[in-house]
């Protein structure tokens, strides 16, 4: 759905020629929403430069503002934000379909003086949440409910302490607990038990950003305890956050080069990063593309023959829809593994991807922990997005090579990349520099 609530059908443009474009991406959702939480609990005002403005980040801004934080955008630039902390009070939070809002805000809301009610989109109500709410209860919070909608009965402080959780369903349980924990009386020690935690780079991102703001954090690597992350109580330093471009959102554009024998350049690609999107370089190279990162510009050139891939995406599950679209257009079989937890993303992504690939004549089957995709000619038809921004962009990739693919709800890309269609059209309109703005 688009921001104004309309469902918008969109015929994905087929590439008449190899794409040749430079695409500048807006800021990272994950870094922006972490910066907003950390800045809200800091000991003074912080600045965020290059913030993503999208449904997920605007929901985060609204949530924090509702609880008392002052967040203002620069007059001439919506992506520059000033965040001024204030005592937190009760309110009502709309999580939309944003995992980062529904998992990162409740720990902060436990510090509010008053009730904070949470709700979200219908699909958000079935996303896993009880793990983090149970953890908050175990460290002193009073909460009515165990999924959306629920109410946090804030008392102005939270004890904190040690808690054991099974975070195999989402890394966001660990990140959410850590992000606000410096403001808990005893900080927090999160001990994970269960199958491996997915999306570890996102936990690394949390740790790195907390440390940048002066928070003391122990990890399994630095603290000595396997599967335990510890955040010590203490002040959070006001910080100037410079947000990297969203590398996961870059992947459909890079895929466009890979499937059209074209060339796409993405400037401002970080030399080192905790964003999982960086792994697209390895994936595209394995599929046969030429990948080069020089002077901050990532260039991908598509191969004559796109190879299938056997890849464990457990750490970088966010990339699955893009990789599945690539695999559906590849010459050989692909196996995408390690991603059972994607059944709890915006939609059940394993079911959604296999259904949509098969609907267009492709060969895809769900496995216990992923998808197997075999080469088959695809035909025109409707590609359903299931209110999932990355399903929508996966349909756009397929449509580059299969004329007549209609994405039923391209507006859902506004979750993290408003203006996606404009940017996609600009990429296709030849070798030009295209930018999506605020
Ligand atoms: O912490 C984050 O910013 C995210 C963590 C990951 O969640 P899961 O661990 O639930 O996959 C990722 O898929 C999501 O898009 C963003
Ligand atoms: C899983 C995703 O989002 P969320 O932050 O809502 O979990 C995603 O963006 O791929």
């Amino acid at each position: 759905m688009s921001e104004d609530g309309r469902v918008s059908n969109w015929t994905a443009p087929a590439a008449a020629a190899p794409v040749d474009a430079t695409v500048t991406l807006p800021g990272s959702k994950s870094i922006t929403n972490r910066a907003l939480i950390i800045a809200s609990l800091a000991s003074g005002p912080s600045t965020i430069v290059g913030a993503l403005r999208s449904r997920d980040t605007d929901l985060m801004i609204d949530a924090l503002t509702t609880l008392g934080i002052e967040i203002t955008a620069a007059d001439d630039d919506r992506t520059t934000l000033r965040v001024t902390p204030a005592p937190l009070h009760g309110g009502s939070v709309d999580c939309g379909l944003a995992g980062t809002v529904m998992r990162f805000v409740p720990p902060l809301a436990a510090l509010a003086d008053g009730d904070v009610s949470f709700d979200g989109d219908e699909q958000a109500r079935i996303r896993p949440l009880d793990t983090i709410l149970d953890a908050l209860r175990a460290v002193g919070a009073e909460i009515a409910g165990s999924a959306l909608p629920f109410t946090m009965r804030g008392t102005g402080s939270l004890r904190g302490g040690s808690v054991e959780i099974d975070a195999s369903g989402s890394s966001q349980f660990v990140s959410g607990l850590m992000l606000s924990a410096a403001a808990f009386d005893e900080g927090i020690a999160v001990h994970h038990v269960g199958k491996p935690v997915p999306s570890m780079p996102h936990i690394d991102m949390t740790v790195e950003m907390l440390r940048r703001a002066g928070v003391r954090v122990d990890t399994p690597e630095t603290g000595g305890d396997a599967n335990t992350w510890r955040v010590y109580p203490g002040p959070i330093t006001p910080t100037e956050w410079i947000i990297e471009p969203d590398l996961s959102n870059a992947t459909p554009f890079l895929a466009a080069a890979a499937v059209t024998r074209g060339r796409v350049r993405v400037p401002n690609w970080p030399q080192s990063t905790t964003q999982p999107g960086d792994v697209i370089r390895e994936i595209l190279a394995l599929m046969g593309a030429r990948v080069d990162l020089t002077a901050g510009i990532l260039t991908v050139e598509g191969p004559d023959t796109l190879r299938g891939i056997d890849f464990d995406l457990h750490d970088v599950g966010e990339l699955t829809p893009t990789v599945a679209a690539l695999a559906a257009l590849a010459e050989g079989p692909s196996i995408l593994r390690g991603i059972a937890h994607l059944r709890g993303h915006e939609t059940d992504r394993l079911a959604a991807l296999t259904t949509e690939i098969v609907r267009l004549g492709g060969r895809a089957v769900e496995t216990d922990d992923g998808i197997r995709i075999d080469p088959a000619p695809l035909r025109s038809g409707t590609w359903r997005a299931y209110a999932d921004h990355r399903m929508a962009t996966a349909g756009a990739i397929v449509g580059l090579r299969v004329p007549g693919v209609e994405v039923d709800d391209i507006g859902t890309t506004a979750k993290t990349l408003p203006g996606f269609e404009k940017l996609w059209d600009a990429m296709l309109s030849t070798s030009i520099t295209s930018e999506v703005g605020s």
Side-chain angles (χ1 to χ4, degrees), residues 29-30 33 56 95 97-104 127 170 172 202 246 248-249 317-319 321 342 344-346 349 388-390 415-416:
K29 163 197 81 174
S30 292
N33 276 357
D56 277 16
C95 300
L97 189 49
T100 50
V101 179
M102 59 192 273
R103 278 79 176 252
F104 294 177
R127 294 191 71 179
S170 174
Q172 291 177 345
H202 276 116
D246 194 306
S248 294
N249 277 341
E318 228 181 38
L319 305 191
L342 264 62
H345 273 186
E346 281 81 337
R349 283 182 170 160
D388 180 351
H389 55 146
R390 298 195 204 281
K415 185 175 191 286
T416 57

Side-chain angles (χ1 to χ4, degrees), residues 14-95:
V19 302
D20 186 357
T22 298
V23 184
T24 302
L25 275 306
S28 152
K29 163 197 81 174
S30 292
I31 301 177
T32 300
N33 276 357
R34 280 169 174 73
L36 283 163
I37 294 271
I38 297 172
S40 296
L41 296 171
S43 56
S46 295
T47 310
I48 303 178
V49 178
L52 174 67
R53 297 305 301 268
S54 70
R55 184 169 187 233
D56 277 16
T57 52
D58 286 354
L59 284 166
M60 180 64 89
I61 291 170
D62 288 349
L64 297 168
T65 307
T66 298
L67 300 184
I69 307 297
E70 190 186 310
I71 303 177
T72 52
D75 287 345
D76 54 347
D77 178 8
R78 294 178 69 233
T79 69
T80 297
L81 302 173
R82 186 169 173 83
V83 182
T84 308
L88 296 162
H89 53 65
S92 155
V93 170
D94 176 8
C95 300

Side-chain angles (χ1 to χ4, degrees), residues 222-283:
T222 61
D225 291 342
N227 287 320
T228 300
W229 291 265
R230 186 184 302 273
V231 175
Y232 293 81
I236 297 177
T237 311
T239 301
E240 181 182 69
W241 299 101
I242 312 281
I243 309 297
E244 297 171 3
D246 194 306
L247 306 188
S248 294
N249 277 341
T251 66
F253 298 90
L254 298 169
V259 304
T260 67
R261 297 184 185 143
R263 186 189 304 131
V264 167
R265 292 163 293 271
V266 175
N268 309 318
W269 197 276
Q271 203 57 43
S272 83
T273 179
T274 50
Q275 285 194 68
D278 197 33
V279 175
I280 198 66
R281 295 196 281 148
E282 182 188 347
I283 291 170

